[in-house]
């Protein structure tokens, strides 16, 4: 690949060179139902021993369609062959494996059902960079401020500071334009404009809030430009002596009528709106030419009487400095009024869905529009001020007391200057450009064109942005406005909403009041666009590779900071309102957590931070005061054992690590998709990871989890599992595997916990029978087997199809308020303190806070008769696993029998472990007496010595210890290392 060539451009170039099913493509493929050659014949019909060589291969070259995440209308999605297809041995008449890599679709990407093929629709209207972006942006920038406020701002601030205001605004918009260009060229841009760019970069939290604010700001901008148009019409009516009601109400009436007409044009479709914009653009260019000609030709006596004397150096010098007047007479007051004129730079980006190639059109059109409009503003600010400052009366200067520069040109304006009653001049009349021009009606036409075009562009932009936001379903109720109509998917409902908002602000009828309101909203949008570019750059994500190279992350950061500073310098209370709205909407999205994933830079930043902190933890030694029980929970699919998940999640939430482990033991070695399990955990509000492994048997898989789960210091140190209730009915080898897992955990220095509940833990469903259920038998499978049944006939090999339906969220006892019950702790042996630490952590949670912790260290010893009965019951438990006389006298030695059947119990082993056996029997009696009404019971778990305590005997201990108890019982054994502190240093 040529250096610097963007990936998307490279793939686009390859698009025409490679084809999956074309004549020049591979001669071997898959149509969704069978393997076939390029001529359409099935693979099964060919000689199965034929060797594919050269181009006779299923593998294909690069293709743009393989990387797109959307499907073109009228054809089936094309995808590359999967690694499974390329790597595995394809046999005749065998059920084909999944052929395509995992995609974001709801089913296997290789599916080619009839539903995927849509009827071809008429091609919607698309625009290039000139008509779609540059002209639209220039028209939006050449708005009401240019004609009706720039001369007045120049009179207030002077030419010098007016240039500063123009250049400062252009710097902010220029930096924002560069940032927008970078974001827009970092991938496929769809409809939604500014909202789409920010949300796909920073994520839904900030993207959603700024989408609402930006759409609202554009709707208010419609009112601003419309009021400017209405002011001009009202001024013309006043010159003619006509009036509807009074000046202020005339502006309101004209404004409402105008917005209604613009709504009609918008509803007619983008094609009509684009034609209207071209017409307005032509009218503005003619008015500019007329203005320039007017500044060059000599001034007539009528113009001189109103203060225009053509180009004069002394007038230019005097008007170069400020002449502040009124309460708005300051730099930032003028800046707040002027800045909305520069906010049109996103007009083209806001219709990104209607552009032929947004990645080319947005950068080129936006930056060209900024350049030409900035130049035009600077020229007009310099030339309009050559017209003089104040004037009023037609009189030849003859007195020595004449004041002002007009005296040098034969005019005396002393009286109106002294009394401040002048009605003409830049400071007194908003229509000064008409005076300067060669033909005043053309300036009026330009005002009409500029105001109406800008209002029309904003009226189109607001619904387009809002529609994209509505379709993402980030906020409630607003989805009603996301529906589109016609081939361009026009947001009719959005147009009506924008119209209502615009009419409400038109009723204010005061341009200088409306302009500062929207300045802060636009500045807030620009700050987030620049921050999006900066944040995406510093995260060093491989996904950030814009083809537009003329941007700087530090300039983007500067643009974001300056935008925020100017917000407060303009109107501090409006800035606080804008930021408050952003924070409120941000908090709402963070609380709701919408199920969207756009690969935002926030995700990349989170990864960088997590990686950095994990690496830094390697440099810090473990300390007992920072010990946290980091739990590996053998849940299988988490939805199978919700009680186990809820219990562990209770004391690990916001405190320590929790990993739900699953071992898949199906013969075709396919790991279950983690996505559905994570969704289930998130919906249940359990803060946990999911880790699935594929192994030949359960114990091997758990060994893999014990040794491989976690990262660095963030790795499990406690193993939690459910109690194997069916151990007496299951195969003895399964019992040995279960106890072997506990031994493996001890060998790896894990603490071990076993949870037993009277009603059991498992909740199996047909869709999950392919997963090893672990330690409790499901109703669907036989109790005497360790291997799960074969998959059902309709079982899919697609990982995402394994658990496609949403899993239910059953309630468990650990989700309920526990009230004033007790948490009974039987701390029988010093295991390092884990037996005592876990109940303490439980009481820190709200549901368990009212429970009282009781710690037991001994019991009554005066119940010998009951103990004899319990001993006989224990002997019945291990009876089927005793070595009988026939086995001893046979040809098989005891050593061989222990090696082949380690679960069998000899008389010697029973006698050796008799004290421990009696201890478990007696402890169960104590539990029955004192802990019947407890909320939960914690008991130190006995440890069976490897090689001397058969697995059946150990299992009988656990059974005897925890049987016939109503409360949940957690058998706990630490790894004999301290987890409690009794000191502060």
């Amino acid at each position: 690949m040529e250096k610097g060539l963007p990936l998307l451009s490279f793939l686009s170039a390859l698009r025409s060179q490679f084809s999956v099913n074309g004549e020049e493509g591979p001669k071997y493929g898959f149509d969704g139902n069978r393997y076939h050659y390029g001529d359409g014949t099935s693979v099964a019909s060919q000689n199965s021993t034929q060797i594919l060589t050269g181009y006779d291969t299923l593998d294909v070259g690069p293709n743009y369609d393989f990387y797109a995440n959307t499907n073109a209308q009228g054809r089936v999605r094309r995808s590359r062959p999967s690694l499974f297809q390329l790597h595995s041995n394809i046999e005749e008449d065998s059920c084909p494996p999944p052929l395509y890599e995992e995609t974001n679709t709801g089913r296997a990407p290789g599916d080619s059902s009839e539903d995927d093929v849509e009827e071809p629709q008429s091609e919607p209207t698309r625009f290039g960079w000139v008509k779609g972006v540059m002209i639209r942006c220039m028209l939006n920038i050449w708005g009401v401020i240019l004609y009706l406020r720039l001369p007045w701002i120049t009179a207030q601030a002077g030419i010098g500071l007016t240039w500063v205001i123009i250049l400062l605004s252009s710097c902010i918009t220029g930096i924002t334009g560069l940032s927008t260009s970078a974001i827009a060229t970092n991938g496929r841009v769809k409809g939604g404009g500014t909202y789409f760019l920010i949300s796909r970069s920073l994520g839904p939290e900030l993207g959603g809030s700024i989408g609402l604010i930006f759409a609202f700001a554009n709707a208010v901008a419609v009112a601003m430009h419309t009021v400017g148009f209405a002011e001009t019409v009202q001024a013309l009516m006043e010159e003619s002596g006509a009036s509807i009601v009074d000046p202020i109400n005339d502006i309101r009436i004209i404004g409402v009528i105008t917005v209604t007409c613009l709504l009609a044009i918008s509803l007619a479709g983008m094609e009509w709106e684009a034609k209207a914009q071209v017409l307005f653009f032509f009218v503005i260019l003619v008015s500019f030419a007329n203005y320039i000609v007017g500044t060059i030709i000599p001034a007539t006596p009528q113009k001189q009487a109103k203060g225009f004397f053509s180009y004069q150096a002394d007038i230019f010098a005097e008007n170069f400095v400020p002449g502040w007047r009124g309460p708005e007479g300051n730099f930032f007051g003028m800046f707040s009024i002027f800045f909305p004129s520069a906010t049109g730079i996103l007009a083209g980006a806001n219709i990104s869905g209607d552009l032929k190639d947004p990645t080319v059109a947005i950068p080129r059109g936006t930056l060209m529009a900024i350049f030409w409009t900035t130049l035009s503003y600077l020229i007009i600010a310099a030339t309009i001020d050559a017209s003089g400052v104040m004037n009023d009366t037609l009189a030849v200067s003859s007195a020595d007391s004449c004041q002002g520069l007009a005296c040098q040109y034969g005019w005396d304006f002393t009286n109106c200057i002294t009394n401040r009653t002048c009605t003409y001049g830049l400071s007194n009349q908003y229509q000064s450009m008409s005076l300067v021009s060669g033909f005043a009606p053309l300036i009026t036409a330009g005002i009409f064109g500029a105001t109406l075009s800008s209002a029309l562009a904003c009226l189109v932009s607001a619904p387009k942005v809002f529609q994209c936001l509505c379709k993402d379903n980030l906020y409630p109720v607003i989805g009603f406005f996301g529906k589109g109509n016609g081939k361009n998917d026009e947001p009719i409902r959005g147009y009506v909403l924008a119209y209502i908002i615009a009419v409400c602000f038109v009723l204010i009828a005061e341009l200088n009041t409306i302009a500062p309101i929207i300045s802060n909203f636009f500045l807030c949008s620009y700050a987030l666009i620049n921050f999006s570019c900066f944040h995406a750059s510093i995260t060093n994500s491989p996904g950030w590779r814009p083809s537009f190279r003329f941007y700087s992350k530090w300039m983007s950061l500067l643009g974001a900071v300056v935008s925020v500073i100017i917000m407060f310098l303009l109107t501090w209370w409006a800035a606080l309102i804008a930021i408050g709205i952003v924070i409120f909407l941000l908090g709402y999205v963070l609380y709701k957590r919408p199920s969207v994933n756009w690969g935002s830079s926030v995700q990349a930043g989170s990864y960088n931070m997590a990686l950095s902190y994990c690496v830094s933890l390697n440099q810090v030694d473990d300390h007992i005061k920072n010990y946290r029980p980091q739990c590996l929970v053998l849940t299988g699919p988490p939805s199978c054992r919700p009680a186990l998940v809820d219990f562990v999640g209770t004391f690990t939430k916001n405190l320590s690590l929790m990993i739900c482990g699953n071992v898949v033991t199906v013969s075709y070695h396919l790991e279950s998709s983690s996505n559905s399990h994570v969704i289930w955990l998130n919906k249940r509000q359990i803060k946990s990871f999911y880790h699935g492994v594929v192994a030949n048997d359960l114990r091997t898989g758990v060994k893999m989890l014990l040794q491989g789960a976690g990262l660095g210091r963030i790795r499990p140190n406690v193993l939690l599992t459910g109690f194997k209730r069916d151990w007496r009915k299951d195969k003895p080898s399964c019992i040995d595997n279960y106890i072997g897992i506990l031994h493996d955990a001890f060998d790896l220095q894990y603490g071990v916990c076993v949870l037993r509940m009277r009603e059991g833990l498992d909740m199996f469903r047909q869709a999950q029978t392919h997963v090893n259920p672990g330690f409790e038998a499901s109703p669907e499978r036989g109790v005497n087997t360790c291997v799960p049944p074969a998959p059902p006939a309709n079982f899919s090999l697609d990982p995402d199809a394994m658990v496609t339906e949403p899993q239910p969220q059953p309630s468990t006892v650990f989700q309920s308020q526990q009230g004033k019950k007790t948490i009974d702790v039987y701390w029988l042996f010093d295991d390092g303190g884990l037996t005592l630490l876990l109940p303490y952590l439980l009481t820190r949670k709200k549901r368990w806070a009212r429970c009282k912790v009781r710690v037991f260290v001994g019991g009554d010893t005066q119940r010998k008769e009951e103990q004899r009965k319990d001993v006989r019951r224990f002997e019945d438990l291990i009876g089927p696993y005793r070595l009988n006389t026939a086995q001893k006298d046979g040809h098989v030695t005891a050593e061989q029998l222990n090696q082949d059947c380690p679960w069998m119990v000899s008389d010697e082993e029973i006698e050796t472990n008799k004290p421990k056996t009696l201890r478990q029997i007696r402890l169960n009696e104590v539990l029955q007496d004192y802990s019947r009404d407890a909320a939960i019971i914690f008991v130190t778990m006995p440890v069976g010595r490897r090689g001397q305590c058969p697995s059946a005997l150990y299992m009988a201990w656990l059974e005897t210890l925890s049987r016939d108890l109503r409360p949940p019982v957690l058998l706990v054994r630490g790894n004999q290392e301290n987890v409690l502190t009794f000191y502060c240093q």
Side-chain angles (χ1 to χ4, degrees), residues 135-148 221-222 224-226 228-229 232 262 276-277 279-285 287-288 377 433 442-458:
I135 291 179
R136 187 176 297 274
C137 288
M138 293 178 71
L139 286 172
N140 216 11
I141 297 173
W142 285 334
V144 62
I145 303 297
L146 172 65
Y147 287 95
L148 299 183
V222 176
M224 182 187 73
H225 295 294
T226 303
F229 170 80
T232 305
L262 294 177
Q277 294 285 29
L279 176 61
F280 291 144
F281 184 73
F282 176 76
V283 171
I284 293 175
L285 291 182
S287 71
F288 280 170
Y377 271 107
M433 286 187 67
L442 288 180
I443 295 298
T444 302
I447 295 173
F448 289 173
T451 54
L452 294 178
S453 63
S454 298
L456 186 59
C458 292

Side-chain angles (χ1 to χ4, degrees), residues 498-513:
Y499 168 79
I500 295 173
I501 295 174
V503 167
C504 292
F505 281 87
V506 163
L507 297 179
I508 297 176
E510 180 55 49
L511 187 61
N512 290 3
T513 302

Side-chain angles (χ1 to χ4, degrees), residues 12 72 75 89 188 245 387 512 529 539 544 610 669 780 948-949 972:
S12 298
R75 66 183 180 87
N89 182 27
R188 181 71 60 86
V245 182
S387 64
N512 290 3
I529 289 177
T539 55
W544 175 251
H669 285 203
E780 292 86 357
Q948 297 185 14
C949 179
V972 184

Side-chain angles (χ1 to χ4, degrees), residues 135-169:
I135 291 179
R136 187 176 297 274
C137 288
M138 293 178 71
L139 286 172
N140 216 11
I141 297 173
W142 285 334
V144 62
I145 303 297
L146 172 65
Y147 287 95
L148 299 183
R149 291 298 182 270
L150 183 59
W152 176 73
I153 292 173
T154 306
Q156 290 269 3
I159 298 174
L161 287 182
T162 301
W163 280 354
V164 173
I165 291 174
I166 295 172
L167 292 175
L168 179 59
S169 301

Side-chain angles (χ1 to χ4, degrees), residues 477-495:
V477 180
I478 64 174
F480 172 80
F481 298 98
K483 187 178 185 302
N485 301 89
K487 61 182 181 180
N488 277 70
D489 197 31
E490 296 292 342
I492 305 298
R493 298 172 180 175
Y495 284 135

